[in-house]
Structure formats: C-alpha cells, structure tokens
Amino acid sequence: ITFRGLKDDLINLKMNYETLKLAASYLVDKVNIYQKLVQKDKEDRHQKFILDKLIYGYHRTYDNIIYLSKSLQDLLNLADRVNVSEFYQYFDSQDLIEYKKNLSELLELPNIYRKVSYKLKINEMIYHFEERLLANEDGEILGVVEEVSDRIKHDEEITHFAYVDTIAKVYTKTKLDLDLTDLIASKKFSLVAFNVINFKLYNELYGMEFGDQLIFAIGKYLKEYPKLDLGIYHFDGDKFVISVKNI
C-alpha cells in the first residue's frame, strides 16, 4: 500500500510538474505579450508626440496610400489617409518630378535616409516643406515632414537685409562680392564706379537725413534707367558701383 501510494504520489507529482511547465510556458508567453504591448504603447505615445510636434505622415508605396497627421489633415483639408494622387495635386510640378525621383531611388536603396524639400499650394497659399524619407525592405517609405515656411521667410528676410541696402534700396557691397564670382566666370562684363561730388559738404550743410534722401534718390534713378542688364550696388557712403553684363 505504501508503495502504491508512493507510486500514485509520483504520478501526481509528475502530472503537477508537467502542469507547472505548461503554466510556466503560458506565463512566459503572457509576459512577452505584455512586454510587447508596453513597448507598442511607448512607441504609440512617442509617435503621438511626434505627430503633435510635426506634420508627419507615412507613404506606403505598395498600396499608394499616404497616412497624414492631424496637423497636415487640417492644413490640406483631407482625411487621415489619402491616395497619393490626391496628395500630389498640391505639389509644384517641378518639385513633384524631383520628389517621385527620390522615392524611386530610395526603393532601390533601403534603410538610407534622404532629405527633400518641396512646396505645396493650398488655397492660393504656398507652403514650404522639408521631409526626411526612409525606405524599408518591405517597400514602404516613411516620411517625417516639417512645415518650414516661417523659417524660410525668416531666412529670406536675413538674406534681404544682407543683400539690399536699407538706404539706397539697391544691392549692397556684400551682394557685389557674391556676384563678382559669376561676372568673372562669364568673362564678359563691365564695372562702373562713381561717387557723389561734395557729398560730405551736403551732409554738413543740410544734415544726415538729407544725405540719406540723396543716396535713396540716386538709387531710385539708377533702377529706373533704360532696361539694360544692370547690377546696381551702394558700395559705401557716397560710392556706387554698376555692373553691366555682356559688355
């Protein structure tokens, strides 16, 4: 009896061991699933953060669908997913050619980032975008898109300040330095330099404001000169330089 009881106990113990192994395996699977869910939740929250901060979208090349973030949906007045042809209608024609070319090249070079820039025309307004593209091995192209119109406008204002004289409203010496590279490369141009006679005396007699008005008037007169291919520069003080191409 004792032996039979021991045998039964051993059988029960074996069954319990097998059950424990199965339970342990089940728990491991559950833990793995939970960890994946936690990771996915983190990725979803990270993605939401990106979506909140950037104009963001996925372009799935195999089904021709673009997934748009909320900010881009609002800007384009589109749903969260649209056919690429619907999205492409907002592109500048030349930009679209270049964009499609980049997509084709990326599909041949998966896992390599590429930065592209383009313009979209929306309700008669032009918006500038920068996008970082990456193609994966499944033929899907992922893109992080940023609307950079304000930055470009700011850069243009800085460039204008550097290249356009605030008094004469013609080009600056800085712009002349830049243009001289192209002029010299063309090997066919002329430069004319002149200054205002007795400008210092005018300033002393009538004041600096009058002197500024005089510099502005000269710049205005030169810009209205018969249409030649002129570059007009306020070099410094009362000095001007005019460049003439092809002469």
Side-chain angles (χ1 to χ4, degrees), residues 194-238:
F194 67 91
N195 66 299
V196 181
I197 298 174
N198 295 325
F199 181 73
K200 184 178 179 182
L201 179 62
Y202 296 145
N203 264 342
E204 290 174 351
L205 288 175
Y206 304 109
M208 302 255 324
E209 186 177 347
F210 174 83
D212 289 347
Q213 291 174 354
L214 180 58
I215 293 298
F216 171 75
I218 294 170
K220 186 173 184 293
Y221 173 78
L222 291 173
K223 286 189 294 184
E224 294 172 351
Y225 200 75
K227 295 296 181 181
L228 292 174
D229 196 359
L230 302 180
I232 304 165
Y233 308 88
H234 181 206
F235 192 81
D236 184 24
D238 64 336

Side-chain angles (χ1 to χ4, degrees), residues 9-62:
D9 287 344
L10 287 171
I11 291 172
N12 289 334
L13 181 61
K14 184 178 179 182
M15 289 177 64
N16 289 336
Y17 174 69
E18 293 298 333
T19 304
L20 285 172
K21 277 207 317 183
L22 183 62
S25 175
Y26 175 79
L27 287 173
V28 168
D29 288 343
K30 285 295 184 183
V31 168
N32 288 337
I33 291 171
Y34 175 75
Q35 287 178 335
K36 288 179 181 178
L37 288 173
V38 169
Q39 182 62 28
K40 186 176 184 306
D41 180 63
K42 286 173 65 178
E43 290 173 357
D44 288 345
R45 282 188 281 112
H46 179 64
Q47 185 184 55
K48 184 177 184 305
F49 173 79
I50 294 174
L51 292 175
D52 288 342
K53 300 299 179 185
L54 297 174
I55 296 173
Y56 186 80
Y58 290 104
H59 174 222
R60 300 184 190 276
T61 56
Y62 54 81

Side-chain angles (χ1 to χ4, degrees), residues 14-123:
K14 184 178 179 182
M15 289 177 64
N16 289 336
Y17 174 69
E18 293 298 333
T19 304
L20 285 172
K21 277 207 317 183
L22 183 62
S25 175
Y26 175 79
L27 287 173
V28 168
D29 288 343
K30 285 295 184 183
V31 168
N32 288 337
I33 291 171
Y34 175 75
Q35 287 178 335
K36 288 179 181 178
L37 288 173
V38 169
Q39 182 62 28
K40 186 176 184 306
D41 180 63
K42 286 173 65 178
E43 290 173 357
D44 288 345
R45 282 188 281 112
H46 179 64
Q47 185 184 55
K48 184 177 184 305
F49 173 79
I50 294 174
L51 292 175
D52 288 342
K53 300 299 179 185
L54 297 174
I55 296 173
Y56 186 80
Y58 290 104
H59 174 222
R60 300 184 190 276
T61 56
Y62 54 81
D63 61 5
N64 288 320
I65 298 295
I66 294 179
Y67 295 81
L68 305 176
S69 69
K70 182 67 169 64
S71 50
L72 194 51
Q73 292 170 45
D74 293 342
L75 187 62
L76 300 178
N77 193 26
L78 294 173
D80 61 342
R81 59 188 71 189
V82 296
N83 189 280
V84 290
S85 60
E86 192 175 356
F87 181 64
Y88 287 163
Q89 69 178 329
Y90 295 98
F91 270 74
D92 171 83
S93 57
Q94 191 59 44
D95 286 349
L96 181 57
I97 292 171
E98 189 65 25
Y99 188 76
K100 287 181 175 179
K101 178 184 174 185
N102 277 291
L103 294 182
S104 298
E105 292 174 355
L106 280 169
L107 289 172
E108 297 175 4
L109 299 167
N111 303 316
I112 293 180
Y113 284 96
R114 181 167 297 185
K115 183 177 177 180
V116 297
S117 301
Y118 53 87
K119 299 180 291 294
L120 299 181
K121 186 175 182 180
I122 305 161
N123 297 326

Side-chain angles (χ1 to χ4, degrees), residues 137-224:
E137 293 171 351
D138 296 325
E140 179 184 34
I141 292 180
L142 309 179
V144 177
V145 189
E146 185 179 4
E147 204 266 297
V148 294
S149 300
D150 288 343
R151 192 179 76 202
I152 288 178
K153 182 180 178 183
H154 178 66
D155 291 346
E156 287 174 348
E157 288 173 351
I158 291 175
T159 301
H160 184 271
F161 181 77
Y163 292 164
V164 179
D165 186 84
T166 55
I167 298 173
K169 305 303 180 185
V170 296
Y171 290 136
T172 60
K173 179 184 176 183
T174 302
K175 186 68 164 63
L176 174 61
D177 292 340
L178 186 69
D179 290 348
L180 274 175
T181 303
D182 293 332
L183 291 170
I184 292 169
S186 72
K187 298 181 180 179
K188 194 173 182 182
F189 70 98
S190 299
L191 289 179
V192 179
F194 67 91
N195 66 299
V196 181
I197 298 174
N198 295 325
F199 181 73
K200 184 178 179 182
L201 179 62
Y202 296 145
N203 264 342
E204 290 174 351
L205 288 175
Y206 304 109
M208 302 255 324
E209 186 177 347
F210 174 83
D212 289 347
Q213 291 174 354
L214 180 58
I215 293 298
F216 171 75
I218 294 170
K220 186 173 184 293
Y221 173 78
L222 291 173
K223 286 189 294 184
E224 294 172 351

